[in-house]
């Protein structure tokens, strides 16, 4: 049995009201977004964008995803946010538009998937038009606490990103990366 499912069962037995209220949130959000079965959300914030169109395809979440309290998600129909099945996202994470997180991924607390940037504007306002560069996290990855993943980054399957790292470049599959900026540390066995 998957460790996240064991965790959910333990939570359900210790506090059934909290368990069922987080499940009801997932059912409610399914009205507005594409949410898989068996998901559990604890006070997750789904933001309506100030620009771009939002709909069922703007945020797509697979089956049995657990997202802890304080996490914020935003997506547009043309730049959706996707989270694969059996993924665990810890508290206070920030997931911006055009982010794709694979299956069986573990994300530590306070991780930022920051896909947005701006064109350099005129003298009056240097932060010009908003741009959203893609972020892709492969299946089975582990992203440590307090990491920042910037746009135009692909993290390969089975990669570990150490806590506190800032990822600005692509990361190879089955590897460990750490630091600011994140650098290759070692390869992992498959």
């Amino acid at each position: 049995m998957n460790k996240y499912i064991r965790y959910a069962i333990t939570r359900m037995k210790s506090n059934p009201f909290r368990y069922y209220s987080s499940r009801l949130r997932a059912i409610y959000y399914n009205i507005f977004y594409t949410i898989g079965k068996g998901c559990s959300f604890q006070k997750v914030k789904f933001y309506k964008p100030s620009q771009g169109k939002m709909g069922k395809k703007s945020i797509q979440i697979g089956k049995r995803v657990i997202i802890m309290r304080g996490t914020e998600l935003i997506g547009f129909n043309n730049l959706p946010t996707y989270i694969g099945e059996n993924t665990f996202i810890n508290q206070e994470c920030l997931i911006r538009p055009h982010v794709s997180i694979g299956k069986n991924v573990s994300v530590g607390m306070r991780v930022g998937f920051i896909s947005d940037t701006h064109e350099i504007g005129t003298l009056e306002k240097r932060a010009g038009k908003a741009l959203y560069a893609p972020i892709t996290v492969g299946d089975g990855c582990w992203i440590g606490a307090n990491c920042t993943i910037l746009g135009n980054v692909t993290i390969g399957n089975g990669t570990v990103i150490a806590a506190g790292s800032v990822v600005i470049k692509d990361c190879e599959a089955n590897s460990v990366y750490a630091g600011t900026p994140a650098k290759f540390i070692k390869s992992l066995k498959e």
Side-chain angles (χ1 to χ4, degrees):
M1 184 183 307
N2 176 318
K3 67 180 176 180
Y4 304 116
I5 294 171
R6 280 197 307 267
Y7 170 74
I9 291 169
T10 304
R11 272 189 35 230
M12 180 180 71
K13 289 178 181 176
S14 65
N15 190 339
F17 176 76
R18 181 179 283 171
Y19 172 78
Y20 287 111
S21 65
S22 66
R23 288 286 301 119
L24 287 172
R25 278 189 202 96
I27 292 167
Y28 169 76
Y29 288 132
N30 196 34
I31 297 168
F32 307 104
Y33 309 103
T34 305
I35 310 291
K37 293 182 179 181
C39 291
S40 178
F41 303 144
Q42 293 183 352
K43 298 181 183 176
V44 176
K45 299 174 188 172
F46 288 82
Y47 279 101
K48 294 181 181 176
S50 58
Q51 60 185 11
K53 292 187 177 179
M54 183 189 101
K56 285 282 269 185
K57 293 183 179 179
S58 62
I59 295 176
Q60 303 171 41
I61 298 176
K63 298 175 184 175
R64 297 175 302 280
V65 172
I66 297 173
I67 303 178
M68 304 300 277
R69 69 183 180 275
T71 294
E72 302 175 5
L73 295 112
I74 185 169
F76 306 142
N77 277 344
N78 60 334
L79 300 171
T81 294
Y82 173 80
I83 300 171
E85 62 185 43
N86 295 320
T87 291
F88 174 79
I89 298 176
N90 213 325
Q91 60 192 8
E92 298 177 17
C93 292
L94 177 62
I95 303 172
R96 302 292 294 168
H98 214 180
V99 173
S100 177
I101 299 173
K103 299 183 289 186
N104 302 310
V105 174
S106 295
V107 178
M109 63 179 96
R110 295 183 203 93
V111 172
F113 296 91
I114 313 299
S115 62
D116 32 349
T117 187
H118 295 271
E119 291 179 347
I120 295 178
T122 62
L123 176 65
E124 291 81 32
K125 184 177 179 185
R126 289 294 180 200
K129 178 184 172 188
L131 303 172
Y132 298 93
I135 296 173
T136 304
V137 178
D139 296 342
C141 291
W142 176 18
I143 313 289
N146 295 308
C147 288
T148 301
I149 317 294
L150 298 180
N152 282 325
V153 165
T154 299
I155 298 174
N157 294 342
T159 297
V160 176
I161 307 295
S165 298
V166 177
V167 181
I168 62 172
K169 295 181 188 174
D170 290 352
C171 299
E172 297 175 22
N174 298 311
S175 302
V176 176
Y177 284 79
T180 304
K183 294 181 182 172
F184 175 84
I185 303 298
K186 67 178 183 176
S187 291
L188 299 171
K189 296 178 183 175
E190 289 191 31

